[in-house]
Amino acid sequence: MCGIVGLFLKDKSLEPQLGAMLSEMLISLSDRGPDSAGIAIYGASSNEAKITIQSAKPERDFRGLDTDLAKAIGAPVSLAAKSTHAVVRTTPAKIDEAREAIQALRPDIRIMGAGDVVEIYKEVGLPEAVVDRFGVREMTGTHGIGHTRMATESAVTTMGAHPFSTGADQCLVHNGSLSNHNNVRRELIREGMTFETENDTEVAAAYLSSQMAHGKNLGEALEGTLSDLDGFFTFVVGTKNGFGVVRDPIACKPAVMAETDQYVAFGSEYRALTKLPGIDNAKVWEPEPATVYFWEH
């Protein structure tokens, strides 16, 4: 039993409130997952690429990293630390080189996600603690997803927390359990994908990244999960411009959605949606089994 939320804004006037709204949605589901929590926020595009990093010893690992990294890749680098996480910014052409250099310069740093717009914050603990630690309420953006976890098949660690990101500006949160994740992981490794954990959700994220790398859009990639992934699952997915939801054909995991002229929202339970503006007049429904829902800006 985990809690997942997602919010895709249609109304730009709500963008300054994205972090606050998504935070309250996730906090309302705290009792569904006491182990760890995380949020991905999709902010405004800029001329810089971003890499969200995490360290168990941030004072040691973040000190001087911007200077060392700029020297290693030959490009400007900035670093903004938030507790155990930091956002590294550099030129888009250098993002892959920067990722490799970070791992070489500071082997204990873990990369949470990278891309043009996404920032990912996740840690062990309840949603409110995670939200407060990283100042999520003050964050702005166009869409975001969140997760509070009750671990069932892997360790309670920062890297085991959701969202999982396996492609640029791509991430996924999941409620459920996959039965064929080991076989799918082996197939993806043969394609060149790499994995940080043994978590089945990371396999689902990597599957979608692989499908989109082969030219499929988010909706088409989500359709593929229905035939290629076995088990019980509800996935909520973010991409640079998109937001998608799919449930397995049995759909035993709870889910509810709401849509207005201002937003599309997802929650594991309706209580996650009750404080959203205009919810009383929203179209509210339970997403159908084996049905893909996705929106793009």
Side-chain angles (χ1 to χ4, degrees):
M1 184 174 75
C2 298
I4 52 180
V5 297
L7 186 60
F8 178 88
L9 300 180
K10 303 177 185 178
D11 183 348
K12 292 183 71 66
S13 70
L14 290 179
E15 290 180 9
Q17 303 174 51
L18 175 69
M21 290 192 291
L22 195 62
S23 295
E24 293 310 313
M25 291 171 69
L26 189 59
I27 289 168
S28 74
L29 299 179
S30 295
D31 59 343
R32 294 190 62 86
D35 299 326
S36 59
I39 283 183
I41 297 284
Y42 288 82
S45 295
S46 70
N47 294 325
E48 296 178 306
K50 299 191 284 189
I51 305 171
T52 310
I53 59 176
Q54 185 269 352
S55 171
K57 297 181 178 179
E59 291 185 4
R60 180 198 67 186
D61 287 337
F62 297 164
R63 186 185 304 117
L65 178 59
D66 50 351
T67 302
D68 294 345
L69 187 56
K71 186 182 299 184
I73 67 173
V77 172
S78 66
L79 183 149
K82 289 186 179 182
S83 184
T84 57
H85 287 47
V87 177
V88 174
R89 290 177 168 83
T90 189
T91 56
K94 292 286 187 174
I95 191 165
D96 291 336
E97 190 176 344
R99 288 184 64 139
E100 293 178 5
I102 289 169
Q103 300 288 262
L105 291 165
R106 304 287 196 276
D108 292 335
I109 281 179
R110 313 303 290 269
I111 293 176
M112 301 287 101
D116 293 334
V117 294
V118 74
E119 296 180 21
I120 298 175
Y121 300 91
K122 59 183 187 178
E123 275 292 3
V124 172
L126 288 169
E128 188 163 16
V130 172
V131 163
D132 290 343
R133 170 180 278 190
F134 300 116
V136 177
R137 289 185 180 89
E138 287 72 48
M139 296 184 70
T140 66
T142 57
H143 55 298
I145 63 177
H147 185 275
T148 185
R149 183 181 183 222
M150 180 178 288
T152 57
E153 51 71 48
S154 61
V156 179
T157 64
T158 301
M159 293 306 293
H162 305 207
F164 279 92
S165 179
T166 53
D169 288 314
Q170 299 169 13
C171 64
L172 175 147
V173 293
H174 169 210
N175 184 18
S177 181
L178 302 180
S179 57
N180 68 332
H181 62 96
N182 286 324
N183 289 336
V184 176
R185 182 185 287 107
R186 283 191 288 269
E187 292 173 7
L188 292 170
I189 289 172
R190 283 195 289 269
E191 289 185 16
M193 299 292 292
T194 59
F195 292 86
E196 296 280 351
T197 73
E198 295 299 315
N199 194 292
D200 60 341
T201 303
E202 187 180 13
V203 173
Y207 170 85
L208 292 176
S209 295
S210 173
Q211 294 292 301
M212 287 186 278
H214 285 90
K216 293 184 178 180
N217 65 25
L218 175 58
E220 292 166 338
L222 287 170
E223 287 282 357
T225 66
L226 298 170
S227 57
D228 294 341
L229 300 182
D230 293 333
F232 301 114
F233 57 83
T234 298
F235 297 139
V236 178
V237 182
T239 66
K240 182 176 180 177
N241 301 310
F243 171 78
V245 174
V246 68
R247 302 170 81 196
D248 68 83
I250 297 176
C252 64
K253 300 298 180 181
V256 61
M257 299 192 71
E259 184 171 12
T260 72
D261 292 339
Q262 293 184 295
Y263 58 80
V264 179
F266 175 96
S268 291
E269 298 180 37
Y270 180 73
R271 58 178 157 147
L273 313 181
T274 57
K275 294 184 179 180
L276 292 174
I279 190 64
D280 290 342
N281 298 313
K283 174 189 174 184
V284 178
W285 77 100
E286 180 182 350
E288 294 290 332
T291 302
V292 170
Y293 302 83
F294 81 104
W295 292 261
E296 291 184 317
H297 285 123

